[in-house]
Amino acid sequence: LSMAVAGQQSAPNGPGVAAAGEADKNAGNAHFKSGDFLKAAACYTKAIKAEPDNHVYYSNRAQAFLKLNKVSRALEDADKCIELAPQFVKGYHRRALALAALERKEEAGDMCMKACEMDPSNRELIQLGVTLRGKQFVAEVAAIRKARAAASTAPAAAAMVGAPAGAPAQSTQPPTGSAPPAMPAPRPEGKRKALTDLAPEEFATEIIRTTLGDLLENGTLEPRVYMQPSLKTGGKEAAKQRKKSGEAAPLGVFQAARAFDSPETLAQCIPALRQQLKGEFKAQSAALAVLKSSVAFPRTWSNKGAKWPFAEDCDGIFMQLEHPGGRSMWFTAIEGVGKKEEIKVGDTTSLDPEQFGLLPKLFQ
Protein backbone atom coordinates (compact mmCIF):
# COMPACT_ATOMS: atom_id res chain seq x y z
CA LEU A 1 0.00 0.00 0.00
CA SER A 2 2.94 2.30 0.07
CA MET A 3 3.00 4.78 -2.77
CA ALA A 4 5.01 3.68 -5.79
CA VAL A 5 7.15 6.17 -7.69
CA ALA A 6 7.64 4.17 -10.86
CA GLY A 7 5.08 4.12 -13.63
CA GLN A 8 4.36 3.73 -17.28
CA GLN A 9 6.76 5.29 -19.70
CA SER A 10 5.89 7.39 -22.70
CA ALA A 11 7.30 6.81 -26.16
CA PRO A 12 10.96 7.78 -26.59
CA ASN A 13 11.89 11.06 -28.22
CA GLY A 14 14.77 9.66 -30.18
CA PRO A 15 17.42 6.95 -30.36
CA GLY A 16 19.24 6.54 -27.07
CA VAL A 17 17.29 9.30 -25.29
CA ALA A 18 14.69 7.04 -23.67
CA ALA A 19 17.39 4.76 -22.29
CA ALA A 20 19.11 7.73 -20.64
CA GLY A 21 15.88 8.95 -19.09
CA GLU A 22 14.96 5.49 -17.89
CA ALA A 23 18.33 5.01 -16.22
CA ASP A 24 17.99 8.31 -14.35
CA LYS A 25 14.43 7.45 -13.35
CA ASN A 26 15.54 4.09 -11.97
CA ALA A 27 18.34 5.78 -10.03
CA GLY A 28 15.82 8.26 -8.67
CA ASN A 29 13.53 5.44 -7.59
CA ALA A 30 16.39 3.79 -5.73
CA HIS A 31 17.20 7.03 -3.89
CA PHE A 32 13.52 7.58 -3.12
CA LYS A 33 13.14 4.12 -1.58
CA SER A 34 16.22 4.70 0.57
CA GLY A 35 14.80 8.02 1.81
CA ASP A 36 17.23 10.32 -0.03
CA PHE A 37 14.56 12.49 -1.63
CA LEU A 38 16.93 15.28 -2.65
CA LYS A 39 19.03 12.93 -4.79
CA ALA A 40 15.84 11.35 -6.11
CA ALA A 41 14.57 14.74 -7.28
CA ALA A 42 17.92 15.46 -8.94
CA CYS A 43 17.79 12.16 -10.84
CA TYR A 44 14.23 12.80 -11.99
CA THR A 45 15.34 16.23 -13.21
CA LYS A 46 18.01 14.56 -15.34
CA ALA A 47 15.41 12.16 -16.69
CA ILE A 48 13.14 15.09 -17.59
CA LYS A 49 15.98 16.79 -19.47
CA ALA A 50 16.45 13.60 -21.47
CA GLU A 51 12.70 13.10 -22.05
CA PRO A 52 10.83 16.36 -21.42
CA ASP A 53 7.51 14.87 -22.56
CA ASN A 54 7.50 11.86 -20.24
CA HIS A 55 4.70 12.42 -17.73
CA VAL A 56 5.95 9.76 -15.32
CA TYR A 57 9.14 11.68 -14.55
CA TYR A 58 7.14 14.77 -13.54
CA SER A 59 4.89 12.61 -11.35
CA ASN A 60 7.90 11.05 -9.65
CA ARG A 61 9.62 14.38 -9.10
CA ALA A 62 6.39 15.83 -7.68
CA GLN A 63 6.36 13.05 -5.12
CA ALA A 64 9.99 13.73 -4.21
CA PHE A 65 9.26 17.45 -3.86
CA LEU A 66 6.35 16.66 -1.56
CA LYS A 67 8.69 14.67 0.67
CA LEU A 68 11.09 17.63 0.66
CA ASN A 69 8.24 20.01 1.54
CA LYS A 70 8.75 21.89 -1.72
CA VAL A 71 5.03 21.96 -2.25
CA SER A 72 4.79 24.69 -4.88
CA ARG A 73 7.27 22.88 -7.10
CA ALA A 74 5.40 19.62 -6.55
CA LEU A 75 2.20 21.34 -7.69
CA GLU A 76 3.92 22.61 -10.84
CA ASP A 77 5.14 19.11 -11.69
CA ALA A 78 1.72 17.61 -11.04
CA ASP A 79 0.15 20.18 -13.38
CA LYS A 80 2.70 19.35 -16.07
CA CYS A 81 2.06 15.63 -15.62
CA ILE A 82 -1.69 16.16 -16.08
CA GLU A 83 -1.07 18.33 -19.14
CA LEU A 84 1.04 15.60 -20.76
CA ALA A 85 -1.19 12.67 -19.72
CA PRO A 86 -4.77 13.68 -18.77
CA GLN A 87 -5.72 10.04 -18.04
CA PHE A 88 -2.76 9.33 -15.74
CA VAL A 89 -4.31 9.01 -12.27
CA LYS A 90 -1.14 9.66 -10.30
CA GLY A 91 -0.91 13.16 -11.72
CA TYR A 92 -4.22 14.08 -10.11
CA HIS A 93 -3.22 12.27 -6.92
CA ARG A 94 0.01 14.28 -6.69
CA ARG A 95 -1.90 17.51 -7.33
CA ALA A 96 -4.41 16.66 -4.61
CA LEU A 97 -1.61 15.99 -2.12
CA ALA A 98 0.10 19.29 -3.00
CA LEU A 99 -3.13 21.27 -2.68
CA ALA A 100 -3.84 19.64 0.68
CA ALA A 101 -0.34 20.57 1.88
CA LEU A 102 -1.07 24.17 0.85
CA GLU A 103 -4.28 24.06 2.95
CA ARG A 104 -6.39 24.37 -0.21
CA LYS A 105 -8.53 21.49 1.00
CA GLU A 106 -11.64 22.14 -1.09
CA GLU A 107 -9.60 22.09 -4.29
CA ALA A 108 -7.69 19.07 -3.04
CA GLY A 109 -10.95 17.22 -2.39
CA ASP A 110 -12.21 18.04 -5.88
CA MET A 111 -8.99 16.76 -7.41
CA CYS A 112 -9.09 13.61 -5.32
CA MET A 113 -12.66 12.99 -6.45
CA LYS A 114 -11.62 13.40 -10.09
CA ALA A 115 -8.88 10.83 -9.57
CA CYS A 116 -11.33 8.45 -7.86
CA GLU A 117 -13.64 8.69 -10.86
CA MET A 118 -10.83 7.16 -12.92
CA ASP A 119 -9.62 4.66 -10.30
CA PRO A 120 -12.34 4.01 -7.67
CA SER A 121 -10.44 1.07 -6.14
CA ASN A 122 -7.25 3.00 -5.34
CA ARG A 123 -6.75 2.64 -1.57
CA GLU A 124 -4.56 5.73 -1.20
CA LEU A 125 -7.04 7.93 -3.06
CA ILE A 126 -9.89 6.71 -0.87
CA GLN A 127 -7.91 7.40 2.29
CA LEU A 128 -6.88 10.88 1.11
CA GLY A 129 -10.47 11.72 0.20
CA VAL A 130 -11.73 10.53 3.59
CA THR A 131 -9.06 12.63 5.31
CA LEU A 132 -10.10 15.72 3.35
CA ARG A 133 -13.88 15.39 3.45
CA GLY A 134 -14.77 12.68 5.91
CA LYS A 135 -17.94 10.70 5.32
CA GLN A 136 -19.09 13.31 2.79
CA PHE A 137 -16.43 11.95 0.45
CA VAL A 138 -17.82 8.42 0.79
CA ALA A 139 -21.30 9.70 -0.13
CA GLU A 140 -19.96 11.59 -3.16
CA VAL A 141 -18.12 8.55 -4.47
CA ALA A 142 -21.20 6.41 -3.94
CA ALA A 143 -23.27 8.85 -6.02
CA ILE A 144 -20.76 8.71 -8.86
CA ARG A 145 -20.72 4.92 -8.77
CA LYS A 146 -24.50 4.83 -8.86
CA ALA A 147 -24.54 6.99 -11.97
CA ARG A 148 -21.90 4.83 -13.61
CA ALA A 149 -23.83 1.70 -12.65
CA ALA A 150 -26.91 2.99 -14.45
CA ALA A 151 -24.87 3.62 -17.57
CA SER A 152 -22.98 0.34 -17.44
CA THR A 153 -26.14 -1.75 -17.08
CA ALA A 154 -27.84 -0.33 -20.18
CA PRO A 155 -28.46 -3.19 -22.66
CA ALA A 156 -26.86 -1.35 -25.55
CA ALA A 157 -23.70 -0.68 -23.61
CA ALA A 158 -23.63 -4.27 -22.38
CA ALA A 159 -23.89 -5.55 -25.94
CA MET A 160 -20.96 -3.38 -27.02
CA VAL A 161 -18.63 -4.58 -24.26
CA GLY A 162 -19.91 -8.15 -24.16
CA ALA A 163 -21.02 -7.85 -20.52
CA PRO A 164 -24.33 -8.89 -18.93
CA ALA A 165 -27.03 -6.25 -18.91
CA GLY A 166 -26.93 -5.89 -15.15
CA ALA A 167 -25.00 -7.06 -12.09
CA PRO A 168 -26.94 -9.20 -9.64
CA ALA A 169 -27.96 -7.63 -6.37
CA GLN A 170 -26.26 -8.81 -3.20
CA SER A 171 -28.40 -10.99 -0.96
CA THR A 172 -28.99 -9.80 2.58
CA GLN A 173 -29.95 -13.29 3.75
CA PRO A 174 -27.36 -15.69 5.15
CA PRO A 175 -26.78 -18.95 3.32
CA THR A 176 -28.23 -22.06 4.86
CA GLY A 177 -26.25 -24.15 7.29
CA SER A 178 -23.68 -22.96 9.80
CA ALA A 179 -22.28 -20.05 7.79
CA PRO A 180 -21.87 -16.77 9.73
CA PRO A 181 -24.27 -13.82 9.48
CA ALA A 182 -24.18 -12.07 6.13
CA MET A 183 -24.49 -8.44 5.22
CA PRO A 184 -24.73 -6.64 1.87
CA ALA A 185 -21.49 -6.70 -0.04
CA PRO A 186 -19.45 -3.47 0.23
CA ARG A 187 -18.38 -3.46 -3.40
CA PRO A 188 -18.92 -0.30 -5.50
CA GLU A 189 -22.34 -0.21 -7.13
CA GLY A 190 -20.95 0.28 -10.62
CA LYS A 191 -18.55 -2.61 -10.47
CA ARG A 192 -19.48 -5.67 -12.52
CA LYS A 193 -17.51 -8.12 -10.43
CA ALA A 194 -19.33 -9.98 -7.70
CA LEU A 195 -17.48 -10.73 -4.48
CA THR A 196 -16.98 -14.30 -5.66
CA ASP A 197 -15.05 -13.01 -8.71
CA LEU A 198 -12.63 -10.75 -6.88
CA ALA A 199 -8.97 -11.56 -6.40
CA PRO A 200 -7.96 -11.55 -2.70
CA GLU A 201 -6.26 -8.14 -2.99
CA GLU A 202 -9.39 -6.70 -4.60
CA PHE A 203 -11.48 -8.14 -1.79
CA ALA A 204 -9.16 -6.46 0.74
CA THR A 205 -9.71 -3.13 -1.04
CA GLU A 206 -13.47 -3.52 -0.65
CA ILE A 207 -13.08 -4.27 3.05
CA ILE A 208 -10.80 -1.28 3.60
CA ARG A 209 -13.48 0.93 2.05
CA THR A 210 -16.18 -0.60 4.23
CA THR A 211 -14.05 -0.35 7.37
CA LEU A 212 -13.20 3.33 6.85
CA GLY A 213 -16.88 4.08 6.27
CA ASP A 214 -17.83 2.31 9.51
CA LEU A 215 -15.14 4.16 11.45
CA LEU A 216 -16.27 7.55 10.18
CA GLU A 217 -19.89 6.75 10.89
CA ASN A 218 -19.42 5.33 14.40
CA GLY A 219 -16.12 6.73 15.62
CA THR A 220 -14.83 3.24 16.42
CA LEU A 221 -14.72 -0.33 15.08
CA GLU A 222 -15.64 -3.75 16.35
CA PRO A 223 -13.03 -6.42 15.53
CA ARG A 224 -14.31 -8.48 12.60
CA VAL A 225 -13.13 -11.03 10.10
CA TYR A 226 -14.79 -10.53 6.73
CA MET A 227 -15.10 -13.70 4.68
CA GLN A 228 -15.10 -13.68 0.90
CA PRO A 229 -17.79 -15.99 -0.47
CA SER A 230 -17.27 -18.58 -3.18
CA LEU A 231 -19.68 -20.13 -5.65
CA LYS A 232 -20.08 -23.00 -3.17
CA THR A 233 -20.97 -20.80 -0.20
CA GLY A 234 -23.94 -22.14 1.75
CA GLY A 235 -23.89 -25.56 0.14
CA LYS A 236 -25.26 -26.96 -3.11
CA GLU A 237 -28.89 -26.03 -2.47
CA ALA A 238 -28.09 -22.40 -1.66
CA ALA A 239 -25.85 -22.18 -4.71
CA LYS A 240 -28.70 -23.52 -6.90
CA GLN A 241 -31.12 -20.98 -5.48
CA ARG A 242 -28.72 -18.12 -6.12
CA LYS A 243 -28.12 -19.25 -9.67
CA LYS A 244 -31.85 -19.43 -10.30
CA SER A 245 -32.65 -16.05 -8.74
CA GLY A 246 -29.58 -14.22 -10.03
CA GLU A 247 -28.50 -13.25 -6.53
CA ALA A 248 -24.84 -13.12 -5.60
CA ALA A 249 -23.30 -14.93 -2.65
CA PRO A 250 -23.31 -12.70 0.45
CA LEU A 251 -20.39 -11.45 2.47
CA GLY A 252 -19.66 -13.40 5.65
CA VAL A 253 -18.80 -11.64 8.91
CA PHE A 254 -17.19 -13.32 11.91
CA GLN A 255 -17.59 -11.18 15.05
CA ALA A 256 -14.33 -11.20 17.00
CA ALA A 257 -15.16 -8.69 19.74
CA ARG A 258 -13.20 -10.42 22.55
CA ALA A 259 -10.75 -12.44 20.48
CA PHE A 260 -7.77 -10.19 21.24
CA ASP A 261 -8.33 -9.82 24.99
CA SER A 262 -5.91 -12.57 26.00
CA PRO A 263 -4.03 -15.63 24.75
CA GLU A 264 -6.92 -17.77 26.01
CA THR A 265 -9.65 -15.88 24.15
CA LEU A 266 -7.64 -15.90 20.92
CA ALA A 267 -6.97 -19.62 21.24
CA GLN A 268 -10.71 -20.22 21.67
CA CYS A 269 -11.56 -18.04 18.66
CA ILE A 270 -9.26 -19.58 16.03
CA PRO A 271 -10.88 -23.04 15.75
CA ALA A 272 -14.35 -21.49 15.45
CA LEU A 273 -13.11 -19.07 12.79
CA ARG A 274 -11.45 -21.84 10.78
CA GLN A 275 -14.62 -23.89 11.00
CA GLN A 276 -16.67 -21.02 9.61
CA LEU A 277 -14.19 -20.47 6.78
CA LYS A 278 -13.96 -24.11 5.75
CA GLY A 279 -17.49 -25.23 6.63
CA GLU A 280 -20.52 -24.49 4.52
CA PHE A 281 -19.39 -20.93 3.91
CA LYS A 282 -16.34 -22.20 1.97
CA ALA A 283 -14.56 -18.83 1.96
CA GLN A 284 -12.02 -17.91 -0.68
CA SER A 285 -10.21 -15.46 1.58
CA ALA A 286 -10.59 -13.70 4.92
CA ALA A 287 -9.73 -10.13 5.96
CA LEU A 288 -9.34 -9.13 9.60
CA ALA A 289 -10.02 -5.49 10.49
CA VAL A 290 -9.25 -4.41 14.04
CA LEU A 291 -8.18 -1.25 15.81
CA LYS A 292 -4.74 -1.45 17.39
CA SER A 293 -6.21 -0.05 20.62
CA SER A 294 -8.53 -3.07 20.75
CA VAL A 295 -5.65 -5.55 20.79
CA ALA A 296 -4.39 -6.55 24.24
CA PHE A 297 -2.87 -9.74 22.80
CA PRO A 298 -0.80 -10.33 20.74
CA ARG A 299 1.01 -6.98 20.80
CA THR A 300 3.09 -7.86 17.78
CA TRP A 301 4.31 -4.28 17.31
CA SER A 302 5.99 -4.06 20.72
CA ASN A 303 9.78 -4.12 20.92
CA LYS A 304 10.16 -4.14 17.15
CA GLY A 305 12.25 -0.97 17.02
CA ALA A 306 12.60 0.52 13.55
CA LYS A 307 10.69 -2.40 12.01
CA TRP A 308 7.50 -0.85 13.40
CA PRO A 309 7.14 2.29 11.23
CA PHE A 310 4.85 4.23 13.59
CA ALA A 311 5.02 5.61 17.12
CA GLU A 312 4.39 3.03 19.81
CA ASP A 313 1.21 4.81 20.92
CA CYS A 314 -0.11 5.44 17.40
CA ASP A 315 -3.60 4.02 16.93
CA GLY A 316 -4.93 2.72 13.65
CA ILE A 317 -6.47 -0.19 11.78
CA PHE A 318 -4.72 -3.51 11.26
CA MET A 319 -5.88 -5.27 8.10
CA GLN A 320 -4.70 -8.87 7.72
CA LEU A 321 -5.57 -10.75 4.55
CA GLU A 322 -5.47 -14.55 4.53
CA HIS A 323 -6.07 -16.83 1.54
CA PRO A 324 -4.79 -20.20 0.29
CA GLY A 325 -2.22 -18.52 -1.96
CA GLY A 326 -0.60 -16.37 0.70
CA ARG A 327 -1.14 -13.59 3.21
CA SER A 328 -0.69 -9.82 3.40
CA MET A 329 -0.98 -7.15 6.05
CA TRP A 330 -1.34 -3.38 6.32
CA PHE A 331 -1.67 -0.72 9.01
CA THR A 332 -3.53 2.57 8.53
CA ALA A 333 -2.75 5.26 11.11
CA ILE A 334 -5.86 6.89 12.62
CA GLU A 335 -6.15 9.93 14.89
CA GLY A 336 -9.18 10.72 17.02
CA VAL A 337 -10.54 7.19 17.52
CA GLY A 338 -13.64 7.38 19.69
CA LYS A 339 -14.33 11.00 18.67
CA LYS A 340 -16.33 10.79 15.46
CA GLU A 341 -15.89 14.43 14.50
CA GLU A 342 -12.12 14.42 15.09
CA ILE A 343 -11.10 11.31 13.15
CA LYS A 344 -8.23 11.75 10.71
CA VAL A 345 -7.01 8.97 8.43
CA GLY A 346 -3.24 8.83 8.04
CA ASP A 347 -0.76 6.79 6.02
CA THR A 348 -1.16 3.12 5.18
CA THR A 349 1.93 0.93 5.29
CA SER A 350 2.48 -2.68 4.30
CA LEU A 351 3.63 -4.95 7.10
CA ASP A 352 5.20 -8.39 7.16
CA PRO A 353 2.48 -10.77 8.42
CA GLU A 354 5.14 -13.17 9.66
CA GLN A 355 6.30 -10.48 12.10
CA PHE A 356 3.14 -8.51 12.79
CA GLY A 357 0.33 -11.00 12.12
CA LEU A 358 -2.43 -11.03 14.73
CA LEU A 359 -3.96 -14.24 13.47
CA PRO A 360 -2.15 -17.46 12.58
CA LYS A 361 -2.45 -18.84 9.05
CA LEU A 362 -6.11 -19.61 8.46
CA PHE A 363 -5.80 -21.57 5.21
CA GLN A 364 -3.45 -24.53 5.40
Side-chain angles (χ1 to χ4, degrees):
L1 293 181
S2 57
M3 195 172 296
V5 294
Q8 247 182 343
Q9 184 175 313
S10 61
N13 293 328
V17 178
E22 182 73 11
D24 288 322
K25 183 201 77 171
N26 291 339
N29 289 352
H31 288 307
F32 189 97
K33 289 175 182 177
S34 68
D36 196 335
F37 306 119
L38 188 61
K39 286 184 179 179
C43 288
Y44 297 141
T45 299
K46 290 181 181 179
I48 288 170
K49 288 179 179 178
E51 287 186 87
D53 293 331
N54 191 315
H55 60 281
V56 172
Y57 302 161
Y58 290 97
S59 172
N60 288 8
R61 191 171 68 174
Q63 181 68 348
F65 282 150
L66 285 168
K67 292 291 187 180
L68 293 166
N69 204 29
K70 296 182 178 181
V71 183
S72 295
R73 295 188 68 180
L75 184 60
E76 291 174 3
D77 275 357
D79 286 339
K80 184 64 176 178
C81 177
I82 293 170
E83 177 189 329
L84 291 171
Q87 300 304 315
F88 187 65
V89 175
K90 283 186 181 179
Y92 298 93
H93 193 178
R94 305 289 191 250
R95 192 171 198 276
L97 288 167
L99 290 169
L102 292 169
E103 295 297 322
R104 293 160 61 180
K105 292 189 176 181
E106 185 173 348
E107 293 175 77
D110 291 341
M111 191 58 47
C112 193
M113 181 62 61
K114 189 166 186 176
C116 277
E117 289 176 9
M118 293 185 280
D119 187 4
S121 296
N122 188 304
R123 298 184 184 105
E124 290 174 339
L125 287 174
I126 294 167
Q127 289 158 8
L128 177 59
V130 168
T131 301
L132 292 168
R133 290 187 176 173
K135 59 185 178 183
Q136 177 190 348
F137 184 82
V138 177
E140 290 173 351
V141 172
I144 291 172
R145 288 176 185 142
K146 189 172 183 179
R148 291 175 65 181
S152 66
T153 55
M160 290 178 63
V161 298
Q170 292 291 334
S171 169
T172 58
Q173 297 300 318
T176 58
S178 60
M183 68 183 207
R187 64 188 177 92
E189 295 175 54
K191 213 167 185 175
R192 288 195 184 95
K193 283 186 176 181
L195 286 176
T196 51
D197 298 331
L198 296 177
E201 294 282 340
E202 293 175 314
F203 178 68
T205 297
E206 298 300 319
I207 298 308
I208 287 172
R209 185 180 295 117
T210 296
T211 299
L212 287 174
D214 288 347
L215 179 64
L216 289 166
E217 185 68 27
N218 304 313
T220 188
L221 284 176
E222 290 294 324
R224 292 173 177 169
V225 178
Y226 295 87
M227 294 181 280
Q228 182 186 8
S230 68
L231 295 176
K232 298 179 180 179
T233 291
K236 291 182 179 180
E237 189 59 34
K240 282 182 181 179
Q241 291 176 4
R242 287 196 302 268
K243 188 175 182 180
K244 185 176 180 180
S245 65
E247 292 183 341
L251 174 68
V253 181
F254 183 91
Q255 305 291 350
R258 307 304 298 270
F260 301 101
D261 286 0
S262 68
E264 292 76 20
T265 56
L266 184 60
Q268 291 170 6
C269 170
I270 298 305
L273 174 56
R274 284 183 171 142
Q275 178 58 39
Q276 296 281 29
L277 290 170
K278 298 176 183 179
E280 281 202 19
F281 195 81
K282 294 180 172 57
Q284 296 187 71
S285 70
L288 166 71
V290 59
L291 284 169
K292 176 171 170 280
S293 54
S294 298
V295 180
F297 176 86
R299 297 174 61 85
T300 56
W301 61 89
S302 294
N303 302 316
K304 286 293 196 300
K307 291 181 180 179
W308 173 248
F310 299 92
E312 187 78 12
D313 60 352
C314 174
D315 204 359
I317 300 172
F318 281 110
M319 172 71 71
Q320 184 174 334
L321 175 66
E322 296 282 328
H323 58 98
R327 55 208 312 243
S328 304
M329 193 168 186
W330 304 272
F331 182 81
T332 301
I334 305 288
E335 293 181 19
V337 173
K339 301 175 182 178
K340 189 163 63 170
E341 303 303 322
E342 299 179 19
I343 287 178
K344 294 182 180 179
V345 182
D347 292 336
T348 296
T349 299
S350 296
L351 299 175
D352 181 357
E354 300 304 322
Q355 291 192 48
F356 295 99
L358 302 175
L359 295 174
K361 291 181 180 180
L362 299 177
F363 296 87
Q364 294 178 342

